[in-house]
Amino acid sequence: MRRLLGLSAAALALAACMSGGGAAEKDAADVRIEQGPGLGAPRATHQLVAVGSDTLLAIGGCVESGCEAGPASATVDIIAVPGMKVIATGRLLAPRIQPSAVALPGGKALILGGWVDGRVSAATEIFEPATGRSVAGPALAVPRNAPTVVTLTDGRILIAGGYDGKDVRADAEIFDPATGRLTRTGSLAAARSGATGTLLADGRVLIVGGGRPDREPRRALASAEIFDPASGRFAAAGSLAQGRYKHGAVRLADGDVLIVGGSDIRDYGGKLRSVERYDVAAGRFVPAGNLADPRFKIADGLLLLPGGRVLVAAGDTAPEIFDIASGTGRRIDYDLGGQWNYMTLVRADARTALLAGGYREGRIEPSAQSWIVHLPKG
């Protein structure tokens, strides 16, 4: 969910570094992980958003065993990037499990949907770190849990699909921060929840997979669509070799998109190692290799690294680094102390990222832990 601000010399240098050779010789040794600050509460299915230049927000989520809500589900940990410390606790208008959130201009955050008081919510709110409080935003057209949310090149925010508490949806809407309004746009060709959305270099959005993971009978889609902001329409964009939901996606330095892991309709029993690549120029998916470990519930746990590599942080007892050239993953020699799902990973600055929260698979216990990830140069 990154806004394109044009190509500066720094951006060109970063892209060149990320597409550089020698990736096959690199291993996980140049990524270092250490224990980070304790969150204000255990959190899973939360959001971690970078706002402004020096602040991270850990927002809502389930906070009690079984991934249940609690009073802390209505809180926001405000984390200062210098020193990587929780400096304050803000409050939401309501406790939210599995909210969606995205940074807004001026250091604020739009928070929407998810579960509120046991029901999927249509409410939105705008959180202001300076005051530690939210104000109500416009209501979504329908309740949405796990929609695809992507910031467009012009700063508007696409909100597509999701689960409304009864079934998955295909309709979509756009939030305009300049006006504070939501407007309807075109509809997805297929109703889907738990899909990934990736902003392409040309300003369009690639939406991949998802389906109906929220209720039986489950459905995992192999189809993909591209949203064109100029027309407000969605168009078919080919099919994956493997239907999947609760996967991850990241745009590569050359503009292609890597689709990572996830699960088929067996959910826990169908976690995937496979990786596919969307070739933007050809408009099709191609096989791209396999992770070292099968992983799902990783949509917020991927980060592009220099040297043609991707950090896949969530979904197991240790993160791994996927090498794009060889199509293989290699575990980092660091024990996270559990097999964590729904962790969040956000780049804090050029050399640091924060990995936070998640719940322990099996016991479904949210964690207040975080980990500081020291990144290689590039």
Side-chain angles (χ1 to χ4, degrees), residues 13-257:
L14 178 62
C17 179
M18 287 181 172
S19 61
E25 289 77 32
K26 290 180 180 286
D27 59 18
D30 60 351
V31 174
R32 184 169 59 85
I33 302 175
E34 64 176 324
Q35 197 73 39
L39 302 177
R43 299 186 188 277
T45 70
H46 57 296
Q47 287 284 305
L48 186 64
V49 177
V51 294
S53 61
D54 59 2
T55 304
L56 306 180
L57 304 177
I59 302 167
C62 60
V63 298
E64 297 183 357
S65 181
C67 205
E68 296 294 330
S73 298
T75 63
V76 177
D77 294 321
I78 302 173
I79 303 167
V81 172
M84 207 67 83
K85 295 180 179 179
V86 178
I87 58 171
T89 300
R91 295 206 61 84
L92 302 175
L93 298 177
R96 292 181 188 261
I97 293 179
Q98 208 170 354
S100 298
V102 62
L104 294 176
K108 301 178 183 180
L110 173 69
I111 303 163
L112 61 98
W115 294 84
V116 176
D117 295 329
R119 296 182 178 180
V120 180
S121 176
T124 75
E125 53 187 286
I126 297 173
F127 182 79
E128 168 61 81
T131 64
R133 299 283 178 177
S134 280
V135 297
L140 298 168
V142 295
R144 298 185 194 273
N145 184 65
T148 300
V149 181
V150 180
T151 301
L152 304 174
T153 304
D154 61 8
R156 295 180 302 149
I157 297 161
L158 173 68
I159 306 163
Y163 176 69
D164 66 8
K166 295 180 180 179
D167 212 336
V168 288
R169 303 193 63 91
D171 55 329
E173 48 196 311
I174 290 178
F175 176 76
D176 188 344
T179 64
R181 295 179 180 176
L182 281 159
T183 56
R184 295 270 197 164
T185 190
S187 291
L188 294 158
R192 59 184 83 217
S193 173
T196 54
T198 307
L199 185 67
L200 301 178
D202 63 6
R204 297 178 300 160
V205 177
L206 177 69
I207 298 174
V208 178
R212 186 165 65 183
D214 315 88
R215 54 168 291 185
E216 299 289 351
R218 290 191 175 100
R219 183 167 66 248
L221 298 175
S223 63
E225 308 181 38
I226 286 183
F227 174 74
D228 186 347
S231 66
R233 296 179 180 177
F234 295 84
S239 292
L240 297 159
Q242 168 74 63
R244 65 186 78 212
Y245 57 63
K246 301 178 184 177
H247 52 288
V250 62
R251 195 178 93 194
L252 305 178
D254 65 0
D256 287 356
V257 179

Side-chain angles (χ1 to χ4, degrees), residues 244 260-263 270-275 289-298 302 312-322 327-334 336 339 361:
R244 65 186 78 212
V260 180
S263 178
K271 289 192 275 187
L272 302 171
R273 294 177 58 226
S274 61
V275 178
N290 289 287
L291 298 170
D293 300 293
R295 299 172 186 259
F296 81 148
K297 300 181 179 178
I298 60 172
L302 274 63
V312 185
D316 213 301
T317 57
E320 67 177 272
I321 292 179
F322 180 81
T328 58
R330 178 173 177 174
R331 289 171 66 91
I332 293 176
D333 185 19
Y334 185 91
L336 293 171
Q339 187 171 10
E361 188 168 312

